[in-house]
Structure formats: structure tokens, C-alpha cells
Short mmCIF file of all heavy atoms in Angstrom, two decimals:
data_model
loop_
_atom_site.label_atom_id
_atom_site.label_comp_id
_atom_site.label_asym_id
_atom_site.label_seq_id
_atom_site.Cartn_x
_atom_site.Cartn_y
_atom_site.Cartn_z
N HIS A 1 1.55 -9.09 -2.76
CA HIS A 1 1.15 -9.19 -1.37
C HIS A 1 0.54 -10.58 -1.21
O HIS A 1 -0.36 -10.95 -1.98
CB HIS A 1 0.11 -8.11 -1.03
CG HIS A 1 -0.05 -7.86 0.43
ND1 HIS A 1 0.87 -7.12 1.16
CD2 HIS A 1 -1.01 -8.24 1.31
CE1 HIS A 1 0.48 -7.05 2.42
NE2 HIS A 1 -0.65 -7.72 2.54
N GLY A 2 1.05 -11.37 -0.28
CA GLY A 2 0.54 -12.74 -0.19
C GLY A 2 1.04 -13.44 1.06
O GLY A 2 1.96 -12.99 1.74
N ASP A 3 0.43 -14.59 1.33
CA ASP A 3 0.70 -15.34 2.56
C ASP A 3 1.39 -16.66 2.23
O ASP A 3 0.75 -17.58 1.70
CB ASP A 3 -0.62 -15.59 3.29
CG ASP A 3 -0.42 -16.18 4.67
OD1 ASP A 3 0.70 -16.65 4.97
OD2 ASP A 3 -1.39 -16.17 5.46
N PRO A 4 2.68 -16.79 2.53
CA PRO A 4 3.39 -18.04 2.27
C PRO A 4 3.34 -19.02 3.45
O PRO A 4 4.00 -20.05 3.41
CB PRO A 4 4.83 -17.56 2.04
CG PRO A 4 4.95 -16.40 2.99
CD PRO A 4 3.59 -15.73 3.02
N THR A 5 2.56 -18.69 4.49
CA THR A 5 2.58 -19.50 5.71
C THR A 5 1.34 -20.37 5.87
O THR A 5 1.34 -21.29 6.68
CB THR A 5 2.72 -18.61 6.95
OG1 THR A 5 1.52 -17.81 7.12
CG2 THR A 5 3.92 -17.69 6.84
N GLN A 6 0.24 -20.06 5.15
CA GLN A 6 -1.00 -20.81 5.30
C GLN A 6 -1.59 -21.14 3.93
O GLN A 6 -1.95 -20.24 3.18
CB GLN A 6 -2.04 -20.00 6.10
CG GLN A 6 -1.60 -19.61 7.49
CD GLN A 6 -2.68 -18.84 8.20
OE1 GLN A 6 -3.76 -19.36 8.50
NE2 GLN A 6 -2.41 -17.58 8.49
N ARG A 7 -1.69 -22.42 3.65
CA ARG A 7 -2.19 -22.86 2.35
C ARG A 7 -3.63 -22.42 2.10
O ARG A 7 -4.04 -22.18 0.96
CB ARG A 7 -2.08 -24.39 2.25
CG ARG A 7 -2.44 -24.96 0.89
CD ARG A 7 -2.26 -26.47 0.90
NE ARG A 7 -0.86 -26.83 0.98
CZ ARG A 7 -0.07 -27.02 -0.07
NH1 ARG A 7 -0.56 -26.85 -1.30
NH2 ARG A 7 1.19 -27.36 0.08
N GLU A 8 -4.42 -22.29 3.17
CA GLU A 8 -5.83 -21.90 3.04
C GLU A 8 -6.04 -20.42 3.35
O GLU A 8 -7.16 -19.99 3.61
CB GLU A 8 -6.70 -22.76 3.97
CG GLU A 8 -6.58 -24.26 3.73
CD GLU A 8 -6.95 -24.65 2.32
OE1 GLU A 8 -7.88 -24.06 1.76
OE2 GLU A 8 -6.28 -25.55 1.76
N SER A 9 -5.02 -19.63 3.33
CA SER A 9 -5.14 -18.21 3.65
C SER A 9 -6.06 -17.49 2.66
O SER A 9 -6.05 -17.78 1.47
CB SER A 9 -3.76 -17.54 3.62
OG SER A 9 -3.88 -16.13 3.76
N PRO A 10 -6.87 -16.53 3.15
CA PRO A 10 -7.69 -15.73 2.23
C PRO A 10 -6.90 -14.61 1.54
O PRO A 10 -7.45 -13.86 0.75
CB PRO A 10 -8.77 -15.15 3.14
CG PRO A 10 -8.11 -15.05 4.48
CD PRO A 10 -7.16 -16.22 4.56
N TYR A 11 -5.61 -14.50 1.87
CA TYR A 11 -4.80 -13.39 1.37
C TYR A 11 -3.73 -13.89 0.39
O TYR A 11 -2.55 -13.90 0.70
CB TYR A 11 -4.14 -12.64 2.54
CG TYR A 11 -5.12 -12.22 3.60
CD1 TYR A 11 -5.07 -12.79 4.88
CD2 TYR A 11 -6.10 -11.27 3.34
CE1 TYR A 11 -5.97 -12.40 5.86
CE2 TYR A 11 -7.00 -10.88 4.31
CZ TYR A 11 -6.94 -11.46 5.57
OH TYR A 11 -7.84 -11.09 6.54
N ASN A 12 -4.18 -14.33 -0.79
CA ASN A 12 -3.27 -14.80 -1.82
C ASN A 12 -2.28 -15.82 -1.28
O ASN A 12 -1.08 -15.53 -1.12
CB ASN A 12 -2.51 -13.62 -2.46
CG ASN A 12 -1.53 -14.08 -3.53
OD1 ASN A 12 -1.70 -15.12 -4.15
ND2 ASN A 12 -0.48 -13.29 -3.73
N PRO A 13 -2.73 -17.04 -0.97
CA PRO A 13 -1.81 -18.06 -0.45
C PRO A 13 -0.74 -18.41 -1.48
O PRO A 13 -1.02 -18.56 -2.68
CB PRO A 13 -2.73 -19.25 -0.16
CG PRO A 13 -3.92 -19.03 -1.06
CD PRO A 13 -4.10 -17.55 -1.15
N ILE A 14 0.49 -18.52 -1.00
CA ILE A 14 1.64 -18.84 -1.85
C ILE A 14 2.21 -20.17 -1.37
O ILE A 14 2.54 -20.33 -0.20
CB ILE A 14 2.73 -17.75 -1.73
CG1 ILE A 14 2.17 -16.36 -2.04
CG2 ILE A 14 3.92 -18.09 -2.60
CD1 ILE A 14 1.87 -16.10 -3.48
N THR A 15 2.38 -21.13 -2.27
CA THR A 15 2.93 -22.43 -1.90
C THR A 15 4.33 -22.59 -2.47
O THR A 15 4.71 -21.94 -3.45
CB THR A 15 2.05 -23.58 -2.42
OG1 THR A 15 2.12 -23.62 -3.85
CG2 THR A 15 0.60 -23.40 -1.99
N ALA A 16 5.09 -23.48 -1.85
CA ALA A 16 6.45 -23.75 -2.33
C ALA A 16 6.41 -24.31 -3.75
O ALA A 16 7.29 -24.02 -4.57
CB ALA A 16 7.15 -24.72 -1.38
N GLY A 17 5.39 -25.12 -4.05
CA GLY A 17 5.27 -25.66 -5.40
C GLY A 17 5.06 -24.57 -6.44
O GLY A 17 5.65 -24.62 -7.53
N GLN A 18 4.24 -23.57 -6.11
CA GLN A 18 4.03 -22.46 -7.03
C GLN A 18 5.31 -21.67 -7.25
O GLN A 18 5.63 -21.27 -8.38
CB GLN A 18 2.94 -21.53 -6.50
CG GLN A 18 1.55 -22.13 -6.51
CD GLN A 18 0.55 -21.24 -5.77
OE1 GLN A 18 0.93 -20.32 -5.05
NE2 GLN A 18 -0.73 -21.52 -5.97
N VAL A 19 6.04 -21.45 -6.16
CA VAL A 19 7.29 -20.70 -6.25
C VAL A 19 8.29 -21.45 -7.13
O VAL A 19 8.95 -20.87 -8.00
CB VAL A 19 7.86 -20.43 -4.85
CG1 VAL A 19 9.24 -19.78 -4.93
CG2 VAL A 19 6.91 -19.55 -4.03
N LYS A 20 8.40 -22.74 -6.91
CA LYS A 20 9.35 -23.56 -7.67
C LYS A 20 9.02 -23.54 -9.16
O LYS A 20 9.91 -23.50 -10.02
CB LYS A 20 9.34 -24.99 -7.15
CG LYS A 20 10.36 -25.90 -7.81
CD LYS A 20 10.33 -27.29 -7.19
CE LYS A 20 11.36 -28.19 -7.84
NZ LYS A 20 11.36 -29.55 -7.23
N ALA A 21 7.73 -23.58 -9.48
CA ALA A 21 7.30 -23.64 -10.88
C ALA A 21 7.25 -22.27 -11.55
O ALA A 21 7.02 -22.19 -12.76
CB ALA A 21 5.93 -24.31 -10.97
N SER A 22 7.47 -21.20 -10.80
CA SER A 22 7.25 -19.85 -11.32
C SER A 22 8.27 -19.42 -12.37
O SER A 22 7.98 -18.56 -13.20
CB SER A 22 7.28 -18.84 -10.17
OG SER A 22 8.59 -18.71 -9.64
N GLY A 23 9.47 -19.99 -12.33
CA GLY A 23 10.50 -19.55 -13.24
C GLY A 23 11.11 -18.21 -12.89
O GLY A 23 11.91 -17.66 -13.66
N LEU A 24 10.76 -17.68 -11.73
CA LEU A 24 11.31 -16.41 -11.27
C LEU A 24 12.66 -16.62 -10.60
O LEU A 24 12.95 -17.70 -10.07
CB LEU A 24 10.36 -15.75 -10.27
CG LEU A 24 8.95 -15.40 -10.76
CD1 LEU A 24 8.04 -15.09 -9.58
CD2 LEU A 24 9.01 -14.19 -11.71
N GLN A 25 13.46 -15.57 -10.60
CA GLN A 25 14.66 -15.60 -9.76
C GLN A 25 14.34 -15.10 -8.35
O GLN A 25 14.90 -15.59 -7.37
CB GLN A 25 15.75 -14.70 -10.37
CG GLN A 25 16.41 -15.28 -11.61
CD GLN A 25 17.25 -14.24 -12.30
OE1 GLN A 25 16.72 -13.36 -12.97
NE2 GLN A 25 18.56 -14.33 -12.13
N TYR A 26 13.43 -14.13 -8.29
CA TYR A 26 13.13 -13.51 -7.00
C TYR A 26 11.65 -13.19 -6.91
O TYR A 26 11.08 -12.59 -7.84
CB TYR A 26 13.94 -12.23 -6.82
CG TYR A 26 13.82 -11.61 -5.45
CD1 TYR A 26 14.46 -12.17 -4.35
CD2 TYR A 26 13.05 -10.45 -5.24
CE1 TYR A 26 14.34 -11.61 -3.09
CE2 TYR A 26 12.94 -9.88 -3.98
CZ TYR A 26 13.58 -10.47 -2.91
OH TYR A 26 13.47 -9.91 -1.65
N LEU A 27 11.02 -13.61 -5.81
CA LEU A 27 9.63 -13.28 -5.53
C LEU A 27 9.57 -12.43 -4.27
O LEU A 27 9.92 -12.89 -3.18
CB LEU A 27 8.80 -14.56 -5.35
CG LEU A 27 7.35 -14.36 -4.90
CD1 LEU A 27 6.58 -13.48 -5.88
CD2 LEU A 27 6.65 -15.71 -4.72
N ALA A 28 9.16 -11.18 -4.44
CA ALA A 28 9.09 -10.22 -3.34
C ALA A 28 7.67 -10.21 -2.77
O ALA A 28 6.72 -9.86 -3.48
CB ALA A 28 9.48 -8.83 -3.83
N LEU A 29 7.54 -10.60 -1.51
CA LEU A 29 6.23 -10.65 -0.87
C LEU A 29 6.09 -9.60 0.22
O LEU A 29 7.09 -9.09 0.76
CB LEU A 29 5.98 -12.02 -0.25
CG LEU A 29 5.86 -13.22 -1.20
CD1 LEU A 29 5.54 -14.47 -0.39
CD2 LEU A 29 4.80 -12.98 -2.26
N GLY A 30 4.85 -9.30 0.56
CA GLY A 30 4.50 -8.55 1.75
C GLY A 30 3.40 -9.31 2.46
O GLY A 30 2.94 -10.35 2.00
N HIS A 31 2.97 -8.82 3.61
CA HIS A 31 1.84 -9.33 4.40
C HIS A 31 2.29 -9.88 5.76
O HIS A 31 1.65 -9.58 6.77
CB HIS A 31 1.04 -10.40 3.66
CG HIS A 31 -0.20 -10.83 4.40
ND1 HIS A 31 -1.25 -9.97 4.63
CD2 HIS A 31 -0.54 -12.02 4.97
CE1 HIS A 31 -2.20 -10.61 5.31
NE2 HIS A 31 -1.79 -11.85 5.52
N ILE A 32 3.33 -10.69 5.81
CA ILE A 32 3.80 -11.25 7.07
C ILE A 32 4.76 -10.24 7.71
O ILE A 32 5.75 -9.85 7.09
CB ILE A 32 4.50 -12.61 6.87
CG1 ILE A 32 3.56 -13.57 6.13
CG2 ILE A 32 4.92 -13.18 8.21
CD1 ILE A 32 2.28 -13.87 6.85
N HIS A 33 4.48 -9.84 8.95
CA HIS A 33 5.23 -8.74 9.57
C HIS A 33 6.55 -9.17 10.20
O HIS A 33 7.34 -8.32 10.61
CB HIS A 33 4.36 -8.04 10.61
CG HIS A 33 3.27 -7.22 9.99
ND1 HIS A 33 2.55 -6.28 10.69
CD2 HIS A 33 2.77 -7.20 8.73
CE1 HIS A 33 1.67 -5.71 9.89
NE2 HIS A 33 1.78 -6.26 8.69
N LYS A 34 6.79 -10.45 10.29
CA LYS A 34 8.10 -10.95 10.75
C LYS A 34 8.84 -11.48 9.54
O LYS A 34 8.34 -12.34 8.80
CB LYS A 34 7.92 -12.06 11.79
CG LYS A 34 9.24 -12.55 12.37
CD LYS A 34 9.01 -13.59 13.45
CE LYS A 34 10.34 -14.06 14.03
NZ LYS A 34 10.16 -15.08 15.09
N ALA A 35 10.05 -10.99 9.32
CA ALA A 35 10.81 -11.31 8.11
C ALA A 35 11.04 -12.82 7.98
O ALA A 35 11.20 -13.54 8.97
CB ALA A 35 12.14 -10.58 8.12
N GLY A 36 11.06 -13.27 6.73
CA GLY A 36 11.31 -14.68 6.47
C GLY A 36 11.63 -14.90 5.01
O GLY A 36 11.50 -14.00 4.17
N ALA A 37 12.04 -16.12 4.68
CA ALA A 37 12.42 -16.44 3.31
C ALA A 37 12.51 -17.94 3.14
O ALA A 37 12.68 -18.69 4.11
CB ALA A 37 13.76 -15.79 2.95
N PHE A 38 12.36 -18.39 1.91
CA PHE A 38 12.67 -19.78 1.57
C PHE A 38 13.03 -19.83 0.09
O PHE A 38 12.65 -18.97 -0.70
CB PHE A 38 11.52 -20.73 1.89
CG PHE A 38 10.29 -20.56 1.03
CD1 PHE A 38 10.14 -21.26 -0.16
CD2 PHE A 38 9.27 -19.71 1.42
CE1 PHE A 38 9.01 -21.12 -0.95
CE2 PHE A 38 8.13 -19.55 0.65
CZ PHE A 38 8.00 -20.26 -0.55
N ARG A 39 13.78 -20.85 -0.27
CA ARG A 39 14.15 -21.07 -1.66
C ARG A 39 13.46 -22.33 -2.15
O ARG A 39 13.49 -23.37 -1.48
CB ARG A 39 15.67 -21.20 -1.80
CG ARG A 39 16.15 -21.15 -3.25
CD ARG A 39 17.67 -21.27 -3.32
NE ARG A 39 18.34 -20.13 -2.75
CZ ARG A 39 18.61 -19.01 -3.40
NH1 ARG A 39 18.23 -18.88 -4.67
NH2 ARG A 39 19.25 -18.02 -2.82
#
């Protein structure tokens, strides 16, 4: 559960740099009620 839209979010902020460095194929998030995605 995390927020990929606000770098200073109090709800586990997720940055593109973290995602890129994660080594994951897929990161499944919740919290934002309007669907979205980025690679």
C-alpha cells in the first residue's frame, strides 16, 4: 500500500527511482482510487 503520486506523502511514498532500482518485474500498489501505472 503506497503513494506513487507525492514524494512527501505520509503513506509510504513510492518514487520512480525506487521502482527502477527494485529489481522487481511487477509492483502491485494500492491507495490511489483512480487506476494508474508507470514503467
Side-chain angles (χ1 to χ4, degrees):
H1 198 77
D3 188 345
T5 67
Q6 301 181 65
R7 185 178 291 270
E8 302 302 322
S9 173
Y11 308 113
N12 179 26
I14 305 287
T15 68
Q18 291 172 346
V19 174
K20 184 177 181 179
S22 70
L24 299 166
Q25 287 168 284
Y26 187 74
L27 174 58
L29 294 183
H31 186 65
I32 305 299
H33 288 195
K34 184 177 181 180
F38 69 89
R39 191 180 293 275

